[in-house]
Amino acid sequence: MNGTGDETKLGWTGRVCAALEARDPDLEITFYNLGIRRDTSKDIRRRFDQELSVRLQGDFDTLVVFSFGVNDTTMENGVLRVESARSIENARALLIEAAEQHSVLMVGPPPIADDGQNKRVHKLDAELAQLCSEISVPYLSVFDGLVCNPVWRDEVASNDGAHPHSAGYSLLSKRVLSWNVWEAFIA
């Protein structure tokens, strides 16, 4: 999520990077949020090589954090934008390719304000968790922790139905920051 609807324009990723640097003043993070509104896993897969090749050159530690899936589960004209099996195929290809040269993490898709679509998001979240377990990529599911959270639900519903405002992004960033996997990457 690129911060759409966030008054501070930080989204959860900007908040995570700022908090990590605040935690360790010697940590220098160069942060690229490459989220594009409405992009599916198919779109990300198409632009992945070019996006990374121009940004991650040089001799430094790299961490690529993926988070996608909600747009895949969207119905358009009665058709799913990306079928579940194709979403998993795209995720597998992206994660394996990225892991060849970089440390990789994945944060699962969050819930939105549509209960019908949330059933598809929840199913995809479980499938992504299984995939990541199979290929040894750390995965953080955020769906269950947010779907019943009144702040998240109210903010998403009062915005565009998919993105929260700043308090919702703060909730998500705190969940990500409390994930013990971060310690291995910033130590």
Side-chain angles (χ1 to χ4, degrees):
M1 303 182 96
N2 65 6
T4 300
D6 183 357
E7 301 84 356
T8 67
K9 305 302 181 211
L10 292 172
W12 69 265
T13 53
R15 284 175 170 77
V16 166
C17 290
L20 291 173
E21 283 190 339
R23 195 184 295 173
D24 180 357
D26 294 327
L27 186 64
E28 292 181 28
I29 296 175
T30 301
F31 151 66
Y32 302 103
N33 185 335
L34 302 180
I36 296 178
R37 196 169 191 169
R38 291 189 37 83
D39 256 10
T40 64
S41 62
K42 179 181 174 183
D43 299 318
I44 296 165
R45 188 171 175 188
R46 183 175 35 249
R47 65 185 171 88
F48 173 76
D49 287 332
Q50 181 182 0
E51 296 280 9
L52 263 61
S53 68
V54 297
R55 288 174 177 82
L56 300 182
Q57 299 176 9
D59 186 26
F60 48 86
D61 294 330
T62 57
L63 172 62
V64 178
V65 180
F66 288 96
S67 184
F68 56 81
V70 172
N71 291 327
D72 288 15
T73 67
T74 300
M75 297 294 288
E76 277 187 351
N77 302 317
V79 178
L80 202 56
R81 289 191 69 204
V82 180
E83 292 290 336
S84 179
R86 180 58 63 104
S87 294
I88 297 305
E89 176 186 314
N90 291 335
R92 181 183 302 277
L94 287 163
L95 295 166
I96 289 173
E97 182 178 342
E100 290 174 357
Q101 297 181 35
H102 313 283
S103 296
V104 177
L105 303 175
M106 184 160 192
V107 175
I112 64 167
D114 180 314
D115 290 335
Q117 185 170 352
N118 276 342
K119 290 177 184 175
R120 296 187 298 274
V121 173
H122 192 251
K123 179 180 179 288
L124 182 59
D125 178 52
E127 292 170 343
L128 288 168
Q130 178 62 38
L131 167 66
C132 286
S133 176
E134 290 170 10
I135 62 174
S136 300
V137 168
Y139 184 84
L140 176 65
S141 175
V142 297
F143 185 91
D144 289 336
L146 295 174
V147 72
C148 293
N149 184 294
V151 171
W152 180 268
R153 287 192 64 90
D154 291 350
E155 286 205 350
V156 169
S158 70
N159 190 22
D160 63 1
H163 302 92
H165 296 291
S166 59
Y169 283 113
S170 290
L171 284 171
L172 180 50
S173 69
K174 287 175 185 172
R175 175 71 176 103
V176 172
L177 284 163
S178 68
W179 189 21
N180 62 349
V181 170
W182 284 113
E183 300 308 320
F185 292 98
I186 62 170

